[in-house]
Amino acid sequence: MIPYRKDSPLRMHYLWSLREDTAVGWDAEGRTLVLSGPQGMERIEDPTTAVAETLHRMELGPIRLANLLGPKDGAASGAEAYTLVLSVLREISHLVIRTLSLEDLKGPVLSVVPAGPAARFTLVRLPAQRSVRLRPNVTITLEGNVFLLECRALDHRVQIHRPEAMWVVSLLAWPTTPDALIQVLPIPAELTLEILGHLAGAGMTVSGG
């Protein structure tokens, strides 16, 4: 097991990227940003500099929005640019991968990957005492070094990159609560809750009954 001091500070990062099969480019007039891939085409008319730069960077791999956005998009402040970019990302959320990572140089923890045109991801905060378990019919397969959670009824898949996330998944085979997970797992409570929140947001969990 990976040694943790459960009371030590933990820095987590929320990373954003585009599906690997999504290409970003300009139209012939250079005024409309076009995102194209197997799920179709999205057009963003007259995007701001911040929006265009963010999407081009996301095409290359996961980024922290806070690192990229600042008061450099015309007269807009950093906060305004951030809000505008988030509104665009919500519109194209079926193309956006959400990744949870730690600031320990060991790579991402898990990634929520859209798997359908209706995919809309929202991080879920489950009540501490609510019983929860893995959704029936969720399959777990190994692809290279990544465990993949998916269900034909869901619009997202979850890639498990590190054992911390797999520990949470394994305990969800039976009904449990967030508080119980925190007590059992040898990782900080904050990390346990973030992993659980991403799994729930992707639809991988249901009420434990």
Side-chain angles (χ1 to χ4, degrees):
M1 289 190 174
I2 299 175
Y4 280 100
R5 288 190 55 185
K6 298 187 72 170
D7 58 347
S8 62
L10 188 69
R11 295 195 63 180
M12 291 180 289
H13 297 310
Y14 304 102
L15 307 180
W16 303 67
S17 60
L18 293 175
R19 284 175 48 123
E20 293 181 358
D21 53 13
T22 301
V24 181
W26 294 96
D27 68 352
E29 297 181 356
R31 296 186 58 182
T32 300
L33 204 59
V34 180
L35 286 72
S36 57
Q39 297 195 53
M41 181 180 298
E42 296 288 342
R43 298 172 64 87
I44 302 173
E45 306 287 344
D46 296 318
T48 63
T49 301
V51 168
E53 183 177 354
T54 298
L55 292 175
H56 279 296
R57 290 285 298 276
M58 287 173 59
E59 182 185 17
L60 302 177
I63 65 169
R64 286 186 64 201
L65 296 183
N67 284 351
L68 182 62
L69 299 174
K72 56 185 178 182
D73 188 31
S77 68
E80 290 171 338
Y82 192 91
T83 299
L84 180 57
V85 167
L86 284 180
S87 69
V88 171
L89 294 180
R90 280 193 292 269
E91 292 297 320
I92 61 168
S93 58
H94 58 291
L95 302 176
V96 177
I97 298 173
R98 303 285 295 274
T99 297
L100 174 67
S101 184
L102 298 180
E103 196 175 72
D104 62 1
L105 303 180
K106 295 179 181 178
V109 176
L110 61 76
S111 296
V112 178
V113 182
R120 298 290 184 272
F121 175 78
T122 301
L123 189 64
V124 173
R125 303 297 182 187
L126 296 173
Q129 295 297 326
R130 175 176 293 176
S131 182
V132 64
R133 62 165 297 171
L134 200 65
R135 176 183 292 273
N137 300 323
V138 168
T139 62
I140 305 175
T141 56
L142 182 62
E143 292 189 355
N145 295 323
V146 174
F147 282 99
L148 180 65
L149 276 64
E150 56 187 340
C151 176
R152 301 180 74 176
L154 299 178
D155 290 319
H156 290 94
R157 297 176 295 167
V158 176
Q159 296 174 339
I160 303 296
H161 304 291
R162 287 173 52 159
E164 296 96 322
M166 201 61 207
W167 297 341
V168 174
V169 171
S170 65
L171 292 180
L172 291 173
W174 304 272
T176 186
T177 66
D179 269 0
L181 289 174
I182 290 171
Q183 293 300 317
V184 172
L185 289 168
I187 59 178
E190 185 180 5
L191 178 57
T192 297
L193 295 177
E194 288 293 331
I195 293 171
L196 185 58
H198 280 74
L199 293 173
M204 296 293 164
T205 64
V206 294
S207 174

